[in-house]
Amino acid sequence: MRTTQKRQVCILLPNKQHLDCAVTVRSRGHEVLNSVLKQFGVSELQVLGLAVLRDNEYLFVDLEQKLSKYFGKRWNRGSLSIPFILFLRVQYYVESGRLILSSKVQQLYYAELRQRVLQSQSRHQEALFFQLAASALQAEVGDLELRQGSDEEEEGQERKHRHYFLPEDYFPSWLIKQRGRDFLLQQCPVVHVELRGLSHSQAVLQFIKEASSLQDGPVTFYRMRQEKKDMRSSVLLGVTLKGVHIYQEVEGKQCRLHDFSWTDIDRFTFQGRRFEISAVSSLCLPKLVYYSPSPFHSKHVLKHLIDTHQVHISTRDAASYIQQLEDMEASQFYREAYICDTKRLTQRLQSLTSSMSDCSAAVETNTAWSKDDDEEEEGHSATEFEFCVDEPEEFLIDNPAEVSWLAELLHGASVDGPSVLPSSYWAAVTMEMKQVLRSRADEGVSVD
């Protein structure tokens, strides 16, 4: 009878709404995920994952593990009257919102990025915050019209514009304090009005793209300690789509010490709480050693690193493909290409992004579990987990015909040859395509 007992789980969403589901005592993470998918009416979440708040830090749930692993003894004693809390959060950041095929998932991704922007401490990117605020206002408020009139009418209109948004909803608190509310209320509409005509979905896509360049925006942070016996965490490990950032607290402020791309890293190693980052030899850096709060944290951080690296590899082709189409959009012959190939673009993106949901299964053997992760004593040896970051020098073009189609569309040239070529070759082809696009735009040449 005990195995059929129900537990109520509440899933908090990035948009401050929530979902509820009931599962059995022996349920695993994927059963909650299936309930979320069913309630949303989508087949996959792509960039979102279930997380638990542990020691004041979000850790992404391994969907193959029992939920009792995350809620401990309280799970076995629980009842239907007290829900257990999980969070639906962004697990993998992307450079373009077009990679997120579901509009519902895209809206949740946007909602979490909005909060990340408000929490940002990137003080050297002040201008970007005005662009982000304008894009968010365009998405949420729509067009802001400025009409020419008498001085009295313009003054009244300016007063009206000052009250159509709250700076606290669109700017970090430090920027409000630094510039003052009146300055933001006066200047933000000037940027917002320039976005007239952008639809809600276009404004959301623009916000996502702009937010990807915010230094501490599309980043998942994990707290680390400098020394094994430190009582507080002074180091932050930031996981991004393209690599890892290391921050250290200096005089109350977080200062970025290292910015590693995946190609800069040779390997990560976790042994118990000990976490090592080994850079490639060409950087001539010593091994970096930090300590996580617990072995339980270590394994989850390592798994997130592995999965994120896999997503990076899986989506590079799609991101490059989208960038090329966005370049085409800026040219005068975009309309013809878009009308003819919208269906093919959708099919292509579905193929290229489907692997994002399979990352956990692909790397599960790298993160074996112990029954007593949190009970490993300092004096006993802990299992060592290692992840070598091998960036492939070559990658497979899933459908060579797509490359031929794109090349022929851009400059009438056929691309023949093997389907496996060095990435440098495709980078050169992409650059050539972009140069042709720009020159044709300048010369007013269209594609028939």
Side-chain angles (χ1 to χ4, degrees), residues 100-118:
I100 306 172
L101 302 181
S102 166
S103 60
K104 294 178 181 179
V105 175
Q106 188 183 94
Q107 288 297 320
L108 292 175
Y109 184 91
Y110 165 78
E112 183 162 329
L113 269 187
R114 284 274 283 110
Q115 295 304 310
R116 296 291 305 163
V117 168
L118 297 183

Side-chain angles (χ1 to χ4, degrees), residues 106-107 110 135 138-141 197-205:
Q106 188 183 94
Q107 288 297 320
Y110 165 78
S135 296
Q138 184 66 23
E140 297 163 15
V141 178
L198 277 187
S199 67
H200 168 78
S201 59
Q202 289 172 325
V204 167
L205 288 172

Side-chain angles (χ1 to χ4, degrees), residues 112-316:
E112 183 162 329
L113 269 187
R114 284 274 283 110
Q115 295 304 310
R116 296 291 305 163
V117 168
L118 297 183
Q119 298 164 4
S120 172
Q121 295 296 316
S122 297
R123 296 171 184 262
H124 62 290
Q125 294 181 289
E126 184 174 321
L128 179 58
F129 289 106
F130 284 88
Q131 298 172 24
L132 288 165
S135 296
L137 284 167
Q138 184 66 23
E140 297 163 15
V141 178
D143 288 347
L144 177 65
E145 298 292 342
L146 291 179
R147 298 184 178 88
Q148 296 295 327
S150 63
D151 291 343
E152 184 176 338
E153 289 175 339
E154 289 183 1
E155 288 178 7
Q157 192 174 63
E158 183 178 345
R159 285 195 298 271
K160 180 180 178 181
H161 288 162
R162 287 192 178 197
H163 294 87
Y164 80 102
F165 74 96
L166 294 175
E168 291 80 4
D169 293 336
Y170 295 90
F171 292 93
S173 58
W174 61 264
L175 184 53
I176 298 173
K177 183 177 180 180
Q178 179 175 303
R179 289 294 185 178
R181 297 180 84 258
D182 287 343
F183 179 85
L184 301 180
L185 289 167
Q186 183 179 12
Q187 296 301 319
C188 191
V190 178
V191 186
H192 180 193
V193 76
E194 296 298 323
L195 302 181
R196 282 197 309 268
L198 277 187
S199 67
H200 168 78
S201 59
Q202 289 172 325
V204 167
L205 288 172
Q206 179 163 309
F207 180 92
I208 292 174
K209 186 172 184 178
E210 291 170 342
S212 69
S213 61
L214 188 63
Q215 179 177 298
D216 59 355
V219 186
T220 301
F221 288 106
Y222 294 102
R223 291 178 291 113
M224 296 283 171
R225 298 172 186 177
Q226 189 77 42
E227 300 293 341
K228 193 172 187 177
K229 295 182 180 180
D230 286 352
M231 298 302 296
R232 60 186 298 273
S233 301
S234 61
V235 175
L236 285 178
L237 171 72
V239 182
T240 76
L241 177 66
K242 295 184 176 181
V244 171
H245 298 169
I246 303 293
Y247 292 81
Q248 186 167 9
E249 185 176 318
V250 178
E251 297 180 354
K253 295 181 179 180
Q254 295 294 340
C255 300
R256 188 164 67 172
L257 300 181
H258 302 283
D259 182 359
F260 294 113
S261 68
W262 294 117
T263 54
D264 292 332
I265 300 170
D266 179 49
R267 69 188 67 234
F268 300 107
T269 305
F270 271 110
Q271 185 172 16
R273 293 172 50 217
R274 182 185 174 94
F275 172 52
E276 299 178 357
I277 302 177
S278 300
V280 294
S281 58
S282 60
L283 293 183
C284 299
L285 288 176
K287 182 184 299 181
L288 302 178
V289 178
Y290 302 109
Y291 295 88
S292 70
S294 71
F296 184 86
H297 280 72
S298 296
K299 292 179 182 179
H300 282 77
V301 174
L302 179 61
K303 188 175 189 305
H304 192 202
L305 286 165
I306 295 170
D307 291 354
T308 302
H309 179 251
Q310 182 63 39
V311 168
H312 165 68
I313 297 297
S314 301
T315 59
R316 283 186 305 187

Side-chain angles (χ1 to χ4, degrees), residues 43-56:
S43 59
E44 59 181 354
L45 294 176
Q46 283 190 283
V47 294
L48 303 177
L50 295 173
V52 64
L53 190 60
R54 184 152 175 165
D55 298 330
N56 202 32

